[in-house]
Amino acid sequence: MTRRASWYLAGAVLVAALLLAACAGHAWATPADLYHALMGDDSMRSRLLLQWRLPRVLAAALVGALLGLSGAVFQGVFRNPLAEPYLLGASGGAALGATVALLVPLGLPQSLLLPALAFAGAWGATVLVLGVSRVAGALDAAGMLLAGVAIAAVLGALRSFLMLALSDETMSLQVVMSWVLGGIQTPTWPGLGLLALLCLACLAATDRIARGLDLLGLGNVAAQGFGLDVARFTPLAVMVGSLVVAVAVAYGGLVAFVGLAAPHIARWMVGPMHRALLPASALAGAIVVTVADAIARSALPPAEIPLGLVTAVAGGPFFIVLLARRLRS
């Protein structure tokens, strides 16, 4: 299959996934119901579809795109196909920052605090993993993964402590738990527009570092030979990846393994060059999270399964297969 055909096929799959997800839910809708809602039908069913389900479906696709994008960036920076924001602690750091923003009264608007602290947490956790790996002299794949798992465990413990110590009748644990287990927050249409703009900004930012990621894959010496300042580029790329993760966590909480799986799917589509790999990873991530969110909303009605549990159940075996193949090679 040619690369152009792969793009067309992936686009068609995304459209089908969006249509399926818009129909899925506690009460299933038909494509005709969606058509009537989009044409301005004023019935209660149409208004629910237009004001609740469609924004939720589109938000899930955008969060998935951000997770796929961040996974491709981290795998490029660490030159490790097993790197993933969740495993490397970046998602855990962002969730810790979001927990502080939700539970600690700092006197600033939560709409500003939450994304700012989520970014600080994601960036700080990733830098910490790099630092621990460097101090331990274990900058290979296994060393960074072990450091990431350890840092993620510590951050998870800190998050749990904050939840137990700071929650009371005025601070709802339900809100924080929704971040921990992963779940798309249904946005308003203006809120969805803001998320779409942030997603476009993240795509533009990652496109600027695509060539550097390609050169980094050749090794530090070769990359410097081609004019890349590795010492400056690596923290810059980590910061860009952390920013993307922070936006995803701010809207979707902790959603595991999408950042791991999406870049692998994208490589099958377009190959390893990051100029094409980054948007393809975003496309694959959008498809994965859209389908997973549809399952989360419709598998056990009227209850809703946390999105992070769905992706963890599907992504865990995927990670084990990848790890086994890498260890054998």
Side-chain angles (χ1 to χ4, degrees), residues 29 128 239 281:
L128 193 57
M239 187 175 293
S281 298

Side-chain angles (χ1 to χ4, degrees), residues 72-73 75-77 79 206-220 222-223 226 228 233 237 267 271-278:
V73 170
Q75 289 181 13
V77 171
R79 286 167 280 183
T206 53
D207 184 68
R208 296 292 297 272
I209 62 172
R211 182 175 178 276
L213 292 174
D214 289 336
L215 295 177
L216 207 57
L218 302 174
N220 289 356
F226 281 100
L228 181 71
F233 177 79
R267 286 190 191 91
M273 303 303 288
H274 284 84
R275 186 75 68 182
L277 178 66
L278 290 168

Side-chain angles (χ1 to χ4, degrees), residues 4 44 77 80 109 173 179 184 193:
R4 176 173 295 184
M44 178 61 74
V77 171
N80 180 356
L173 276 181
W179 297 92
I184 305 299

Side-chain angles (χ1 to χ4, degrees), residues 36-114:
H36 292 311
L38 292 172
M39 289 299 105
D41 181 43
D42 198 36
S43 66
M44 178 61 74
R45 186 181 183 84
S46 294
R47 278 186 285 170
L48 285 174
L49 283 173
L50 199 60
Q51 295 175 13
W52 186 85
R53 190 172 294 177
L54 285 179
R56 164 78 179 257
V57 169
L58 295 174
L62 292 171
V63 168
L66 291 167
L67 290 172
L69 198 59
S70 63
V73 170
F74 280 112
Q75 289 181 13
V77 171
F78 289 102
R79 286 167 280 183
N80 180 356
L82 297 180
E84 201 259 352
Y86 190 85
L87 291 176
L88 290 170
S91 296
L96 179 61
T99 302
V100 172
L102 290 169
L103 294 181
V104 181
L106 296 176
L108 293 173
Q110 202 173 81
S111 58
L112 297 176
L113 268 180
L114 202 151

